[in-house]
Amino acid sequence: MKLYLVKLILKGVSILGILLTIWAVFKLYQMGAFSDSKVLIDLLKGYGIWAPLIFILIQIIQVVIPILPGGVSLAAGVVMFGPWWGFLYNYIGIVLGSLALFWLGRRFGHRIIDVFVSEQTLQKYMHKLDSKGWHITFALLIFSPIAPDDTLVLLTSLTKMTWREFTLIIVLGKPLSIFAYSLAMLYGADWLMRLIGN
């Protein structure tokens, strides 16, 4: 019963996060932040030197507790800080978040995994986890921009993969997927705003 309640609360938080994201995007659109980069830059200047740190913290939290859709926060980083700094802040936040999530999985095992991972997904990957090829499978999936990374990190925490191996895969595998996803979300959002504008 407690597990069901926790899952219900997390779903509620995720839905609230999505609604807040939609509202924030609408407000930014009304302010002209998507059509005038000066508006967006002025908005960020309000946070001064804290803006990157706040953003990285949001990304870490987003990995551990999926409040916002991951693609939205990736694209936001590129829009707010530009392609290079946005990529760097996204990368730092997601890598640190992934390490934190792996630690939580190792620390709490099935108790936390049952909360965040659906039974269907668990059954899909469970038989593969301790196979000899899981290291390669995990690395290839982390390289992919469409894989359920957070779920895979939690599931991998159940395996015998060492911290060193996990960290190496995340550090080397994340840049490509973050770059690809950021560009897709950024140019997709740009195309959508132009369509709405017309």
Side-chain angles (χ1 to χ4, degrees):
M1 185 64 182
K2 286 181 181 178
L3 182 61
Y4 173 76
L5 185 62
V6 172
K7 283 187 174 183
L8 196 65
I9 291 167
L10 284 171
K11 281 184 182 177
V13 170
S14 294
I15 290 167
L16 181 63
I18 291 168
L19 292 174
L20 286 171
T21 301
I22 292 168
W23 175 81
V25 167
F26 179 71
K27 282 291 183 187
L28 289 170
Y29 178 71
Q30 280 187 323
M31 292 167 62
F34 294 111
S35 56
D36 186 353
S37 59
K38 187 178 184 303
V39 174
L40 190 58
I41 291 166
D42 288 344
L43 187 67
L44 280 171
K45 280 181 180 175
Y47 293 102
I49 60 168
W50 297 106
L53 292 175
I54 291 167
F55 180 77
I56 289 170
L57 182 62
I58 288 168
Q59 280 293 48
I60 293 170
I61 294 167
Q62 152 60 30
V63 172
V64 177
I65 305 169
I67 298 169
L68 303 171
V72 171
S73 55
L74 282 171
V78 176
V79 170
M80 287 190 289
F81 303 105
W84 299 113
W85 286 109
F87 169 80
L88 181 64
Y89 299 147
N90 275 322
Y91 178 68
I92 292 169
I94 289 172
V95 166
L96 291 177
S98 297
L99 292 172
L101 194 59
F102 188 76
W103 178 83
L104 286 169
R106 281 277 161 96
R107 176 71 179 81
F108 298 104
H110 277 282
R111 283 178 292 170
I112 191 168
I113 289 164
D114 290 341
V115 171
F116 288 102
V117 181
S118 70
E119 186 63 31
Q120 184 182 357
T121 305
L122 195 60
Q123 293 305 318
K124 180 181 176 182
Y125 290 104
M126 203 63 197
H127 68 283
K128 301 175 185 176
L129 292 181
D130 273 320
S131 65
K132 289 181 180 178
W134 179 250
H135 284 66
I136 295 168
T137 304
F138 177 67
L140 290 173
L141 288 170
I142 289 299
F143 269 102
S144 167
I146 57 170
D149 291 358
D150 304 342
T151 298
L152 291 170
V153 166
L154 273 176
L155 291 175
T156 302
S157 71
L158 295 175
T159 70
K160 295 174 183 177
M161 186 180 289
T162 66
W163 268 97
R164 186 172 178 274
E165 291 168 329
F166 174 78
T167 304
L168 196 63
I169 290 171
I170 292 296
V171 167
L172 296 178
K174 281 294 182 184
L176 182 62
S177 61
I178 291 171
F179 182 73
Y181 213 116
S182 298
L183 283 182
M185 290 301 294
L186 182 59
Y187 288 110
D190 184 56
W191 174 82
L192 184 61
M193 288 304 169
R194 286 182 185 180
L195 188 66
I196 292 170
N198 292 334

